[in-house]
Amino acid sequence: MANFIQDLPLIWNIVIFVLAGMLVWGAGVKLSKYADEIIDKTGISEVFIGTLGLAVITSLPEVATTISATLANNVSLAINNLFGSIALQVLVLAVADAFIKGTSLSGSLENPVSRFQAICLSFLLSAAAIAILYEDIAIFHVGLWSVVLFCLYLALFYLINYFKRMKWWLTEPEERESIGKVKAIVSKRMEEIKEDDTEEEGDSGEEKLSDVVMSKLGLFFLLSAMGILAGGYFVANSADVIAERTGIGSSFMGYFFVGLTTSLPELSTTISAAKLKRYRMAFSNIFGTNLLNVGLVLLADLLYLEGPALDEVGNFAAAGAVLGILLTSLYQIGLTIKYKKTFFRLGFDSILVIIFYIIGATILFNMRQG
């Protein structure tokens, strides 16, 4: 199939890229919707591993294109797609800001969990930039840095959830202690209720999950996932041809155009969250997915059999990671200052994100490589 795509004229590859991108977008939006419905019906969102599974689900477009590009022996496209999605998804927050009336997106959020997520993301991207610039060490064919980045992702994921539960931002120890006591009492009562329900209903919880999976909802979820995987395959292979024939280069193609395609589902979900005034969800959706994108470097490395994947990308990918750090840091400032005034319906941090993204895109275009 890949050879068939390569033999097609450039114009047909562009058509395939656009249509496959639309498929990824539509299926990605539907998949997120079906995932939310399944989680609501089964209650698995309360479990740590359930949250991790949801992050993987919402990142399926990046997973699909990473797998397809790596198997097509274009690991540069795969890695730059991941870092390009990070920068573009931060830009999505600026777009969502325009849909809020009377205040800025960052100025409307009191809870500091999103700011902590942004700090963790900047830290992980800094480690990724160092990993790209520093020669990797191969363990079999997998790079040590890829393993380190994935382990850091897991550690930060746990730390963010721990920070959320402990409420370290509360200044008075007595306040934290009282909240902890109340939560302990509520948790104990909930466990008692759950035990009573279990005695009455037996294994109905497991049957409920099984029923959901085997229902029309489960079928639609599976079809959406297959649509993303199919779209990701055609996006990656047609992008490879477009990059080669136009001279854009696979690095720039992966960072901007493929990154844009895989970020479209997050655009819809983040704008919807902003309209519903669920501001923390908007930030958590973007920062959480971006953290996972760095961890997905290991996936590309596992599939690339010719050595460490990060050794195949150079200064372009490192500069792309730095751009992601810069844009994320601007929202860290906004979440700290909480300046509510807007200019042209945008907060000052969103305006700076747009300006610096354009500057960064120009610099990266001049740095593009094959």
Side-chain angles (χ1 to χ4, degrees), residues 194-272:
K194 188 175 181 181
E195 288 176 2
D196 293 340
D197 291 342
T198 302
E199 291 176 0
E200 294 177 3
E201 299 178 10
D203 295 328
S204 61
E206 292 183 1
E207 292 176 1
K208 185 177 181 181
L209 176 59
S210 175
D211 291 342
V212 170
V213 171
M214 297 303 294
S215 66
K216 286 184 178 180
L217 180 60
L219 176 62
F220 292 154
F221 179 87
L222 179 62
L223 291 174
S224 298
M226 292 175 63
I228 289 176
L229 292 172
Y233 173 84
F234 286 104
V235 163
N237 284 280
S238 59
D240 191 16
V241 176
I242 294 169
E244 181 181 349
R245 295 187 186 177
T246 60
I248 292 176
S250 59
S251 297
F252 189 83
M253 188 72 191
Y255 194 92
F256 287 96
F257 294 103
V258 180
L260 173 62
T261 301
T262 56
S263 299
L264 288 174
E266 280 80 7
L267 176 64
S268 298
T269 54
T270 303
I271 290 175
S272 297

Side-chain angles (χ1 to χ4, degrees), residues 132-329:
I132 292 167
L133 295 173
Y134 192 83
E135 186 176 355
D136 210 344
I137 300 172
I139 304 174
F140 298 103
H141 70 278
V142 178
L144 178 61
W145 272 113
S146 298
V147 177
V148 169
L149 290 175
F150 186 76
C151 291
L152 284 174
Y153 160 70
L154 292 179
L156 292 171
F157 179 85
Y158 175 80
L159 186 62
I160 290 167
N161 281 274
Y162 186 69
F163 176 79
K164 190 189 305 181
R165 292 197 308 271
M166 294 301 294
K167 300 185 183 296
W168 286 339
W169 58 89
L170 297 177
T171 55
E172 296 297 332
E174 295 82 3
E175 192 175 357
R176 287 200 299 269
E177 185 179 353
S178 63
I179 289 175
K181 288 179 180 178
V182 172
K183 289 180 70 176
I185 294 171
V186 173
S187 297
K188 184 177 180 181
R189 180 57 185 153
M190 290 299 293
E191 288 177 4
E192 292 174 355
I193 294 172
K194 188 175 181 181
E195 288 176 2
D196 293 340
D197 291 342
T198 302
E199 291 176 0
E200 294 177 3
E201 299 178 10
D203 295 328
S204 61
E206 292 183 1
E207 292 176 1
K208 185 177 181 181
L209 176 59
S210 175
D211 291 342
V212 170
V213 171
M214 297 303 294
S215 66
K216 286 184 178 180
L217 180 60
L219 176 62
F220 292 154
F221 179 87
L222 179 62
L223 291 174
S224 298
M226 292 175 63
I228 289 176
L229 292 172
Y233 173 84
F234 286 104
V235 163
N237 284 280
S238 59
D240 191 16
V241 176
I242 294 169
E244 181 181 349
R245 295 187 186 177
T246 60
I248 292 176
S250 59
S251 297
F252 189 83
M253 188 72 191
Y255 194 92
F256 287 96
F257 294 103
V258 180
L260 173 62
T261 301
T262 56
S263 299
L264 288 174
E266 280 80 7
L267 176 64
S268 298
T269 54
T270 303
I271 290 175
S272 297
K275 285 181 176 179
L276 294 171
K277 297 185 178 181
R278 301 174 73 174
Y279 305 126
R280 192 173 74 177
M281 177 182 288
F283 278 105
S284 296
N285 177 41
I286 296 300
F287 294 148
T289 303
N290 284 350
L291 283 163
L292 179 59
N293 278 2
V294 181
L296 287 175
V297 170
L298 178 61
L299 175 62
D301 217 343
L302 288 170
L303 296 174
Y304 187 66
L305 303 179
E306 298 183 16
L310 290 178
D311 282 349
E312 301 299 319
V313 296
N315 293 338
F316 183 95
V322 171
L323 178 59
I325 296 169
L326 175 62
L327 300 181
T328 304
S329 298

Side-chain angles (χ1 to χ4, degrees), residues 2-44:
N3 291 332
F4 171 75
I5 293 174
Q6 290 176 357
D7 292 337
L8 291 174
L10 175 61
I11 186 64
W12 280 111
N13 274 279
I14 294 174
V15 170
I16 291 172
F17 181 82
V18 172
L19 293 178
M22 292 172 64
L23 175 61
V24 169
W25 183 10
V29 172
K30 289 292 185 182
L31 188 74
S32 296
K33 177 185 174 183
Y34 297 144
D36 287 339
E37 291 182 17
I38 290 173
I39 285 170
D40 287 341
K41 290 185 177 182
T42 59
I44 60 174

Side-chain angles (χ1 to χ4, degrees), residues 107-121:
S108 305
L109 194 63
E110 297 297 331
N111 192 302
V113 173
S114 295
R115 185 168 73 245
F116 186 62
Q117 281 183 306
I119 293 169
C120 291
L121 176 58

